[in-house]
Amino acid sequence: MSLLEDARTAAGLSQEELAQRAHTSQPTLSAYENGRKSPSLATMERLLAETGHHLAIDTDITFTQMITRRGRPFWVSNQLPRLPLRQALATVTLPLHLNWSTPGTKFDLRSRTKRARCYEIVLREGLPADIATYVDGALLIDLWSELVLPQDIRVAWDEVIGVVQDSA
């Protein structure tokens, strides 16, 4: 799914409805969504504005693999990921490679205690894609002092958390 199609469907609009609002044709909009044509930056901004979205520049998040004193690998990002609100507060079932001890458990991320447990699991067991999918940086900062994590993982993430807290 393309960025434009994601924005349009999130807004609950058909291609025809968005095309009318943005003063373009449905076939042109379809060509944009399917990569047959590329809109100019100004056109993309206009189309996204009609869906209630906007373009933004975000810094790439990179991950570094680290090893605990016991030899277990874990990942730390260079900055905190931010998730769309719906994703940050969703009810999730972590994949087996993350939650192997209680498979199938649902974590309602609206619940502070369930979110804390989920974040503990993901920070201990997760790969970069898992961290980027389940952990929201602002919510992580809020929970940071309450999370139960191995010392090596806490120290490594403290640097990322500290950078954010120092700049605020």
Side-chain angles (χ1 to χ4, degrees):
M1 199 175 268
S2 73
L3 172 72
L4 185 55
E5 186 177 3
D6 284 345
R8 179 180 57 76
T9 56
L13 298 171
S14 68
Q15 283 185 347
E16 187 63 40
E17 290 168 324
L18 178 55
Q20 286 176 354
R21 288 181 181 194
H23 308 292
T24 191
S25 70
Q26 182 275 326
T28 299
L29 185 60
S30 176
Y32 292 155
E33 287 185 0
N34 291 296
R36 293 188 307 272
K37 287 178 81 174
S38 295
S40 69
L41 184 56
T43 299
M44 182 60 103
E45 287 175 332
R46 186 180 81 245
L47 291 166
L48 289 174
E50 292 298 333
T51 68
H53 295 86
H54 66 275
L55 288 175
I57 297 173
D58 289 329
T59 306
D60 284 337
I61 296 177
T62 58
F63 289 86
T64 302
Q65 186 178 43
M66 303 185 87
I67 306 293
T68 67
R69 286 177 288 212
R70 294 182 174 206
R72 289 191 40 103
F74 67 97
W75 293 89
V76 179
S77 63
N78 65 325
Q79 65 181 25
L80 296 173
R82 291 305 315 266
L83 301 178
L85 187 59
R86 183 176 297 154
Q87 185 177 344
L89 299 177
T91 297
V92 299
T93 303
L94 297 175
L96 188 59
H97 74 273
L98 292 175
N99 193 19
W100 43 266
S101 63
T102 56
T105 300
K106 292 188 183 303
F107 296 91
D108 181 352
L109 300 180
R110 294 172 299 175
S111 161
R112 185 177 186 82
T113 55
K114 300 280 187 186
R115 185 171 56 250
R117 181 68 184 129
C118 179
Y119 282 17
E120 291 165 354
I121 292 168
V122 174
L123 293 177
R124 274 194 320 270
E125 306 291 337
L127 299 171
D130 300 315
I131 295 167
T133 299
Y134 299 110
V135 177
D136 178 80
L139 296 174
L140 178 62
I141 290 170
D142 181 56
L143 287 172
W144 189 242
S145 64
E146 302 166 36
L147 296 181
V148 178
L149 294 167
Q151 188 63 22
D152 295 335
I153 295 174
R154 179 167 291 285
V155 167
W157 277 94
D158 268 342
E159 293 184 30
V160 181
I161 299 288
V163 169
V164 171
Q165 289 175 337
D166 289 344
S167 65

